[in-house]
Amino acid sequence: NSIEPHLSHDEYHSISEALGSTGVKTIYSKSVAHYKFQEFTNKVHFDVGTAVHVAVLEPEKFDSEVIKCGKNRMTKEYKDLKKNKLSNQVIVTDIEYDKCLRIRDSVHRKSEINKLLVSDNGQSEMSAFAKDPRTNLKLKTRPDRAVLGSKADMLVDLKTTQLADEDSVVKSIARYGYHIQEAFYRHVWSLATK
C-alpha cells in the first residue's frame, strides 16, 4: 500500500492490474465484461474537463498544456494541432479556453475553496494504491487534490456541470456515479495511508 505523489497521469493509467473508480462505476452500471473488454475512447468533453482541472488545480501548467484551436474543431489548424500535440496537452476551442479561465477565477475567488487548493499541506494529482483486505483486489485512486491533515486527510475532486442548482447537481451525482467514486476514493485512500 502506498501513496505516489509524483506519478504522471499516463503512468497512473498504465497500471492496469489495479482497479480504479472508473472501473468500479462501469461494473456497477454495466457489467464486469464491459469493464474487462471496453476500449477507452477520448471524448471532447474529457479534454475540456482536463483543461478546467489544469486551470484550477495546476495553473502554472495551463499555458503549456492547454492549447487554443480557434472557433471550432473542424479547421485545418485543429487537425494540425491534434497531430503534433504532446501527450500531456489538450486542445480546446477559444470559447472553451476562455470558459476555463473564468471557472478558475471564480473558484479561486471563493476564499474557503481557495484555501484547500493552495494549502501547503496539499498536493494535486497524488496516486494511492492498496490491496483490499477482504477481496485481495489491487485498487488505485487519484483524487484531484489531497490536503493532508494531522487527524484526517481531505480529498478534493473537481467536477464541472452545466447547471449548478441543487436538483441538477443531485441528478449529475446519480447519473455519473460520483457517490460511488467518492466512497471508493475514501476506501482506497484509507487503506493506502494505514
Side-chain angles (χ1 to χ4, degrees):
N1 296 353
S2 66
I3 301 291
E4 301 295 333
H6 303 293
L7 208 59
S8 76
H9 179 269
D10 291 339
E11 289 170 321
Y12 171 80
H13 286 290
S14 72
I15 300 170
S16 58
E17 68 273 7
L19 178 64
S21 68
T22 302
V24 169
K25 290 188 297 184
T26 300
I27 291 167
Y28 174 79
S29 65
K30 294 178 180 174
S31 71
V32 173
H34 282 90
Y35 164 68
K36 288 184 81 164
F37 301 111
Q38 74 179 351
E39 287 187 29
F40 177 77
T41 55
N42 193 28
K43 297 185 174 138
V44 168
H45 65 270
F46 293 156
D47 287 347
V48 175
T50 298
V52 169
H53 279 164
V54 174
V56 172
L57 298 166
E58 301 176 289
E60 71 283 358
K61 296 180 179 179
F62 188 77
D63 289 338
S64 63
E65 293 187 7
V66 180
I67 305 167
K68 288 197 281 187
C69 71
K71 285 185 176 185
N72 62 55
R73 292 175 178 81
M74 307 303 275
T75 63
K76 180 181 180 330
E77 178 185 8
Y78 171 75
K79 291 174 182 144
D80 289 343
L81 287 169
K82 190 173 180 182
K83 201 178 342 178
N84 297 313
K85 78 176 190 73
L86 302 174
S87 65
N88 66 328
Q89 294 176 316
V90 293
I91 304 168
V92 296
T93 66
D94 292 355
I95 291 171
E96 292 162 345
Y97 187 94
D98 292 340
K99 185 185 283 187
C100 290
L101 295 177
R102 286 195 310 276
I103 290 169
R104 177 202 64 197
D105 294 344
S106 176
V107 168
H108 284 283
R109 270 195 301 272
K110 308 289 187 209
S111 63
E112 293 305 311
I113 295 169
N114 196 46
K115 285 179 190 173
L116 290 173
L117 298 178
V118 299
S119 166
D120 289 340
N121 295 334
Q123 184 176 328
S124 297
E125 307 298 344
M126 292 174 76
S127 302
F129 298 90
K131 189 172 190 178
D132 186 275
R134 272 191 17 219
T135 64
N136 282 326
L137 285 172
K138 292 179 182 176
L139 308 173
K140 65 180 182 177
T141 193
R142 189 174 170 95
D144 292 332
R145 185 153 181 89
V147 180
L148 309 178
S150 59
K151 295 183 181 178
D153 298 336
M154 185 178 305
L155 305 179
V156 177
D157 201 56
L158 183 66
K159 299 294 182 198
T160 56
T161 184
Q162 294 295 317
L163 300 169
D165 64 277
E166 186 176 351
D167 286 344
S168 297
V169 170
V170 168
K171 287 177 185 171
S172 287
I173 290 168
R175 180 177 182 190
Y176 299 114
Y178 295 153
H179 58 298
I180 297 166
Q181 183 175 342
E182 184 270 339
F184 184 81
Y185 277 21
R186 282 191 298 119
H187 177 64
V188 177
W189 194 268
S190 69
L191 291 173
T193 57
K194 276 187 178 176

